[in-house]
Amino acid sequence: MKRADGRLQVTHNHHPLYTFVEDTAKGQTNGEGLNVFGAECYAVSAAGAKVEQSAAQTGGTAPMPGGGYGGYAGSGY
């Protein structure tokens, strides 16, 4: 979509996607789980799906969010 300043903004289902300022390298998800702009932010794949690590990747038994780098999305935009 085109922003008010004329620049293009990447979106998914009409929701803007953002990169997190503290993510400086591929694979970083420092903004994961932050509650900003009225919703929790999480990493999304290029297809727009929430990215979650498997138990094998995290060393635990439950999935944890993160591990991808497509952008951040939230449901409260």
Side-chain angles (χ1 to χ4, degrees):
M1 75 178 189
K2 190 174 270 194
R3 296 168 22 151
D5 63 7
R7 296 180 355 191
L8 294 177
Q9 173 72 51
V10 176
T11 63
H12 175 67
N13 287 339
H14 306 287
H15 296 282
L17 299 179
Y18 301 95
T19 56
F20 185 64
V21 69
E22 293 180 24
D23 289 344
T24 58
K26 183 177 180 178
Q28 290 184 329
T29 56
N30 295 307
E32 190 72 21
L34 293 179
N35 191 337
V36 294
F37 305 112
E40 183 177 295
C41 294
Y42 50 90
V44 294
S45 70
K50 183 176 180 179
V51 175
E52 297 188 75
Q53 291 181 336
S54 69
Q57 289 173 306
T58 62
T61 57
M64 290 180 59
Y69 192 79
Y72 287 95
S75 59
Y77 297 108

